Amino acid sequence: MTHTITLIPGDGIGPEVTEAVVRILKASGVAIDWEPHVAGIVAFERTGEALPVELVDSVRRNKVALKGPVTTPIGLGFTSVNVGLRKALDLFANLRPVWNLPGIDSRFAGVDLVIVRENTEDLYAGLEHEIIPGVVESLKIITEKASTRIAHFAFQHARKHGRKKVTSIHKANIMKLSDGLFIDSVRRAAREYIEIAYDERIVDAACMQLVMYPEQFDVLVLPNLYGDIVSDLCAGLVGGLGVVGAANLGADIGVFEAVHGSAPDIAGKQLANPTALLLSAVLMLRHIDEGEAADRIMTALGAVLTAKAVRTRDLHGTASTLEFADAVCRAML
Ligand code: NAI
């Protein structure tokens, strides 16, 4: 079967890591008909829209997209394409599995956890205004509907993947109403999954526990802003942003993207590591029931990383982005 999938290479290192990953997917034997679309500054210069309507329509139609990073201008300029896409397609869940890849040195072994981050509301929605000069207000909106939805997503993910425990992360001791509503909603959902253990941690204590004893965590469910921060912390446990994949999921749509940004400091130099986007692509393959191709890629990636002969600069090697991709392709032969 041929899958039609929207491809958003993005900008900065996006096109380089995307080309590498598309090459590896092709070598894995999976048949994909890509529908490429520009986004961000390239699209803005071409069409006046950073998030063209054709792109959004393409993802709606195909239900699946692979996306490279897109630069968000700081301060003025267009608003985040990433946030816009999540809103337009109601991609309410951000899923980030975090585990030790073979051959990657990190401070911890035995990390195997999943971050489930609410993706649509909270302070991260960026609802801000100036009350009077020198005083601004930023609104933290938490709803029962979105909190309940993400809670069920986390428990269903745990159930489907045989995970044993869900931990919700909050600061309800201080934000009694907003984070209080979040954990109340998760607690109510938890009652429907009696085979899965449930506990709660305050976000600051959870951060300390994560960097001391990460092996005690299984599935973590968090409101948007804590999810943003804690998920990068967790990436750091296993070797950094270059070796973790992610998915933004809605009711029937999945946009699979690396967790790192467009890395303008190394863009266009073939220095980027495509592993993070490749791991997102592997999540995508499992999502579209191409588990065999996903397994083939993971075995090949593990072999290349363990051999340590071909590595990109961030992993102290000298290989280019495409040389690394070619090594993974060769390992699948
Ligand atoms: P960044 O993740 O782009 O870069 C941080 C550091 O990590 C840099 O030194 C970079 O060279 C390195 N790095 C990142 N990815 C790498 C890779 N694959 N291989 C090797 N090294 C890598 O974060 P930064 O600089 O904060 O953001 C740059 C731009 O990306 C911003 O405009 C930001 O808004 C955007 N961004 C976009 C995201 C997305 O499209 N999902 C996610 C995060 C940031």
Side-chain angles (χ1 to χ4, degrees), residues 30 39 55 62 110 181 205 231 245 250 278 281-282 311 324:
V30 62
L55 183 163
N62 297 329
L181 179 58
S231 56
L278 183 59
V282 165
R311 290 186 160 217
F324 182 80

Side-chain angles (χ1 to χ4, degrees), residues 70 152 245 302:
V70 177
H152 282 292

